[in-house]
């Protein structure tokens, strides 16, 4: 697919509807321009993983998981 868009005097460009729909873009989304030589590729950024917010919130598990779960079950989990 080849789509043409015009660059404004301020360096802005409107992403054509066909491109927005194909990439699943919506208002406020960031865009990534990948440049290799004379080729520029427009790609949507990877979606944020909602679980990233929880990284580091749990205590590290000991090497022996059975011991960990036994201590948690028996109330020796440090609380």
């Amino acid at each position: 697919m080849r789509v043409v868009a015009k660059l404004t005097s301020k360096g802005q460009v409107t992403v054509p509807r066909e491109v927005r729909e194909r990439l699943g873009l919506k208002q406020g989304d960031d865009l990534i321009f990948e440049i290799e030589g004379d080729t520029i590729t427009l790609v949507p950024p990877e979606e944020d993983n909602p679980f990233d917010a929880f990284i580091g919130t749990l205590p590290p598990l000991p090497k022996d998981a059975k011991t960990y779960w036994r201590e948690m079950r028996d109330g020796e989990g440090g609380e």
Side-chain angles (χ1 to χ4, degrees), residues 4-77:
V4 177
K6 290 193 186 265
L7 186 67
T8 69
S9 61
K10 294 184 179 184
Q12 299 171 335
V13 64
T14 299
V15 179
R17 179 185 309 141
E18 297 89 354
V19 176
R20 293 192 313 264
E21 290 173 353
R22 181 133 182 206
L23 295 178
L25 298 173
K26 57 190 177 308
Q27 182 177 346
D29 283 350
D30 291 325
L31 299 175
I32 297 172
F33 292 85
E34 292 180 354
I35 304 169
E36 291 183 28
D38 291 339
T39 302
I40 300 172
T41 306
L42 177 65
V43 294
E46 295 179 13
E47 290 190 26
D48 292 334
N49 184 341
F51 295 103
D52 285 347
F54 297 103
I55 292 176
T57 60
L58 296 175
L61 292 174
K63 291 183 179 179
D64 179 9
K66 287 183 181 181
T67 301
Y68 173 80
W69 291 115
R70 187 178 306 115
E71 288 176 355
M72 293 302 288
R73 180 190 66 220
D74 296 339
E76 301 171 17

